């Protein structure tokens, strides 16, 4: 546990990546698996992960990222996306998968399925997208933790142009919308931010105990 905490302290938002170093396929495989294992509301996984490793494409993402050079320097750029719609067919497919994996009977699944269908039928597209976006943040947190554990450098980004990403990566044609960007790779030796002390509020300012042990 002490080592795990040290890894979290080691992590920071990289400002400059080493462009010559590429992550091995084994690390990318771990990140993809970790993304897929992220907990999501209802278990519906309304999120998708786009893995970009084409350097020419990464250069094209640069102006769509407000000039943040990390997207061009990084070994890979992970783009977290959400499903724009959660249709009855999407929900039915989820329950079909539960039945295949667990062998759960329709008698048990149907009431839960009907309740879920009713819930999403009462939401408009904005509500669905806001809900799905929250799930993407869960996945981002999971990825950042795994990156720290594997000593993979990263830089989470909200500052980019989603519509530009969607068009360039063809996400709109897949019914997806980009919401977060995570360049990953190895920090450059001359990234001065790597030596900065981590700035956080003291734990007595962020942790509340009920009842108060004092």
């Amino acid at each position: 546990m002490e080592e795990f905490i040290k890894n979290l302290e080691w992590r920071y938002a990289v400002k400059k990546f080493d462009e010559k170093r590429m992550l091995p396929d084994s690390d990318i495989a771990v990140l993809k698996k970790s993304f897929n294992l992220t907990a999501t509301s209802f278990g519906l996984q309304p999120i998708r992960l786009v893995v970009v490793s084409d350097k020419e494409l990464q250069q094209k993402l640069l102006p769509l990222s407000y000039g943040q050079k990390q997207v061009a320097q990084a070994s890979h750029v992970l783009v977290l996306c959400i499903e724009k719609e959660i249709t009855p067919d999407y929900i039915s497919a989820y329950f079909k998968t539960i039945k295949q994996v667990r062998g759960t009977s329709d008698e048990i699944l149907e009431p839960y399925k009907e309740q879920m269908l009713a819930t999403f039928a009462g939401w408009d597209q904005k509500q669905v997208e806001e809900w799905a976006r929250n799930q993407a943040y869960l996945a981002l947190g999971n990825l950042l933790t795994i990156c720290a554990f594997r000593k993979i450098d990263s830089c989470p980004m909200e500052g980019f142009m989603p519509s530009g990403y969607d068009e360039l990566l063809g996400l709109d044609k897949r019914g997806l919308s980009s919401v977060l960007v995570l360049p990953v790779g190895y920090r450059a030796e001359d990234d001065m931010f790597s030596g900065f002390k981590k700035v956080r509020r003291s734990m007595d300012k962020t942790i509340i105990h009920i009842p108060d042990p004092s």
Side-chain angles (χ1 to χ4, degrees), residues 151-167:
K151 289 297 181 73
I152 299 170
D153 284 301
S154 62
C155 182
M157 293 180 176
E158 293 179 298
F160 71 103
M161 302 174 189
S163 59
Y165 267 64
D166 295 352
E167 182 178 357

Side-chain angles (χ1 to χ4, degrees), residues 7-48:
N7 288 339
L8 290 178
E9 292 173 341
W10 168 88
R11 189 211 71 78
Y12 75 108
V14 171
K15 299 300 183 289
K16 184 178 181 181
F17 284 97
D18 185 339
E19 299 182 64
K20 297 179 181 179
R21 298 184 66 189
M22 294 291 291
L23 290 171
D25 291 342
S26 56
D27 276 343
I28 297 301
V30 169
L31 293 178
K32 291 190 294 185
K33 187 69 172 179
S34 299
F35 174 86
N36 202 49
L37 287 171
T38 296
T40 59
S41 177
F42 298 112
L44 278 175
Q45 293 181 280
I47 51 178
R48 300 282 289 275

Side-chain angles (χ1 to χ4, degrees), residues 5-203:
I5 295 299
K6 285 182 178 179
N7 288 339
L8 290 178
E9 292 173 341
W10 168 88
R11 189 211 71 78
Y12 75 108
V14 171
K15 299 300 183 289
K16 184 178 181 181
F17 284 97
D18 185 339
E19 299 182 64
K20 297 179 181 179
R21 298 184 66 189
M22 294 291 291
L23 290 171
D25 291 342
S26 56
D27 276 343
I28 297 301
V30 169
L31 293 178
K32 291 190 294 185
K33 187 69 172 179
S34 299
F35 174 86
N36 202 49
L37 287 171
T38 296
T40 59
S41 177
F42 298 112
L44 278 175
Q45 293 181 280
I47 51 178
R48 300 282 289 275
L49 183 67
V50 176
V51 182
V52 180
S53 58
D54 181 279
K55 294 305 172 185
E56 290 186 9
L57 187 55
Q58 287 175 235
Q59 284 290 340
K60 292 179 181 179
L61 291 174
L62 186 57
L64 302 174
S65 309
Y66 300 106
Q68 297 179 88
K69 295 181 179 180
Q70 296 96 317
V71 296
Q73 299 166 342
S75 169
H76 295 67
V77 177
L78 309 183
V79 184
L80 284 74
C81 310
I82 60 170
E83 302 279 353
K84 291 183 178 180
E85 294 183 289
I86 300 298
T87 65
D89 286 344
Y90 186 99
I91 293 172
S92 295
Y94 168 62
F95 281 92
K96 182 178 180 180
T97 301
I98 294 177
K99 187 174 182 179
Q100 290 173 341
V101 173
R102 296 178 177 173
T104 309
S105 68
D106 288 332
E107 183 180 2
I108 294 175
L109 291 178
E110 279 301 316
Y112 185 33
K113 176 182 174 181
E114 292 303 317
Q115 182 182 26
M116 195 177 296
L117 287 168
T119 296
F120 281 91
W123 288 2
D124 59 27
Q125 185 172 356
K126 182 179 179 181
Q127 287 175 296
V128 171
E129 290 185 5
E130 288 179 350
W131 165 80
R133 187 175 287 106
N134 289 338
Q135 314 315 307
Y137 277 92
L138 289 175
L140 176 64
N142 204 29
L143 288 171
L144 289 174
T145 301
I146 295 300
C147 281
F149 186 76
R150 299 279 296 196
K151 289 297 181 73
I152 299 170
D153 284 301
S154 62
C155 182
M157 293 180 176
E158 293 179 298
F160 71 103
M161 302 174 189
S163 59
Y165 267 64
D166 295 352
E167 182 178 357
L168 181 62
L169 301 176
L171 302 179
D172 43 1
K173 298 177 182 178
R174 298 174 181 266
L176 303 173
S177 179
S178 54
V179 294
L180 293 164
V181 177
L182 184 65
V184 293
Y186 298 102
R187 65 188 68 177
E189 291 184 4
D190 60 347
D191 184 359
M192 65 179 185
F193 287 86
S194 66
F196 287 4
K197 290 184 177 180
K198 192 175 292 293
V199 178
R200 293 292 187 274
R201 290 196 291 166
S202 61
M203 288 179 60

